Amino acid sequence: MQVQKSALIVLIITSCVVSYSNTLFSNFLWDDTALITKNPYIRSFKFLPNFFTQDIWNIGPQTMISGYYRPLLAASFTLDYLIWHTNPFGYHLTNLIFHSLASILVFVLAQMLFKETVISFFSALLFSVHPIHTEAVSFISGRVDVICLAFFLLSLVLFVNYSSNKKFIFYLFSLICFFVSLLIKEMAIMLPFIVIAIDYLILSRQDIKKVFKNTLGLHLGFFVVLALYLLMRTLFVGWSFFKLKPFH
């Protein structure tokens, strides 16, 4: 069975590569100019503290306050720049790698929850080729979705693993992955509620009393991480969206 699962994962990766390999030879587009090619702040990790205290559109030559607090997205651009400089191939490769990882995690999570290998495989295969992901994978700055989702799903996989074996290391890394996904894109804010839904529908078999008992052992940590993120966002960025900075 282990060999079979490995073969299915290879097929999922192949599906991703076949579907999006043409994007590897695309150029920078639209937001990529401001966020990457003309952004001096991504050219060294010495600017990393700036990413954690600024709106992502307020780092570098931009003059817009977007309200987007995405420090690890900017860090991903820095890492790519240090390897590839302004060669778009490497940036597209990063997007494809994270999309492949997210597709694999869809398979792993579905198999863990429903114990149906074939259904899980075809779900992941459909996910890997679905056209709704085209912008997220082919547009370099669109990587915010695929990277966030990869860590989001990894957090859920680790959480489900912890719920069955109670090894704290899995819970700790689940919380870390959740925090990482929050620092990439705001949509990760839904994860604690999905954790409760998974607990109620699958782990606790719709036993609401058991779900309440699990509040401290399973759920609370995710809300603590969420509170920390909201505090950081409030302190460093606030809640203003899409305002032009005044000229001085």
Side-chain angles (χ1 to χ4, degrees):
M1 182 60 71
Q2 190 62 39
V3 174
Q4 180 186 4
K5 287 183 180 179
S6 299
L8 294 178
I9 288 173
V10 170
L11 288 174
I12 293 169
I13 295 172
T14 302
S15 174
C16 292
V17 172
V18 169
S19 300
Y20 289 102
S21 58
N22 62 322
T23 68
L24 295 173
F25 306 99
S26 301
N27 212 326
F28 294 104
L29 294 171
W30 304 316
D31 296 346
D32 297 339
T33 300
L35 292 175
I36 302 170
T37 59
K38 292 187 177 180
N39 188 356
Y41 284 83
I42 68 156
R43 297 178 185 178
S44 171
F45 273 120
K46 71 180 182 181
F47 296 112
L48 190 61
N50 297 65
F51 301 159
F52 285 88
T53 59
Q54 297 285 335
D55 180 320
I56 192 170
W57 278 98
N58 199 19
I59 300 169
Q62 298 79 25
T63 58
M64 182 176 69
I65 298 172
S66 67
Y68 291 161
Y69 184 59
R70 300 173 179 178
L72 293 185
L73 174 63
S76 79
F77 294 143
T78 299
L79 184 59
D80 269 345
Y81 182 85
L82 294 178
I83 299 171
W84 304 98
H85 297 289
T86 54
N87 181 354
F89 175 88
Y91 295 80
H92 285 294
L93 180 61
T94 298
N95 285 29
L96 181 53
I97 289 171
F98 274 100
H99 177 59
S100 300
L101 177 59
S103 300
I104 293 168
L105 289 169
V106 168
F107 168 66
V108 172
L109 181 62
Q111 205 280 326
M112 291 175 71
L113 292 176
F114 305 111
K115 313 300 181 186
E116 293 284 349
T117 301
V118 174
I119 293 175
S120 300
F121 168 69
F122 281 105
S123 297
L125 203 63
L126 177 62
F127 177 90
S128 71
V129 301
H130 200 289
I132 199 172
H133 305 303
T134 300
E135 181 178 344
V137 182
S138 60
F139 175 35
I140 293 173
S141 295
R143 70 171 50 174
V144 64
D145 292 307
V146 291
I147 299 180
C148 176
L149 181 61
F151 282 100
F152 188 101
L153 291 172
L154 183 55
S155 177
L156 290 177
V157 166
L158 291 166
F159 161 73
V160 175
N161 207 329
Y162 168 73
S163 69
S164 62
N165 61 37
K166 301 303 179 183
K167 291 184 179 179
F168 181 73
I169 189 69
F170 289 109
Y171 188 66
L172 176 62
F173 277 102
S174 177
L175 295 179
I176 291 172
C177 288
F178 172 42
F179 191 52
V180 169
S181 65
L182 283 168
L183 295 178
I184 294 169
K185 191 173 182 181
E186 299 82 356
M187 70 177 183
I189 198 172
M190 290 304 299
L191 189 140
F193 305 98
I194 293 176
V195 163
I196 294 175
I198 289 174
D199 186 14
Y200 173 69
L201 294 171
I202 300 172
L203 302 181
S204 297
R205 301 183 182 278
Q206 301 185 32
D207 184 344
I208 193 66
K209 292 182 179 179
K210 190 173 180 181
V211 173
F212 278 114
K213 282 184 179 180
N214 288 337
T215 299
L216 290 177
L218 290 178
H219 312 149
L220 183 61
F222 293 96
F223 285 98
V224 170
V225 170
L226 178 58
L228 175 61
Y229 163 77
L230 293 174
L231 177 62
M232 291 173 62
R233 180 193 167 86
T234 301
L235 290 175
F236 297 131
V237 176
W239 299 93
S240 295
F241 295 91
F242 294 102
K243 292 183 178 181
L244 294 177
K245 293 194 302 183
F247 290 101
H248 297 287

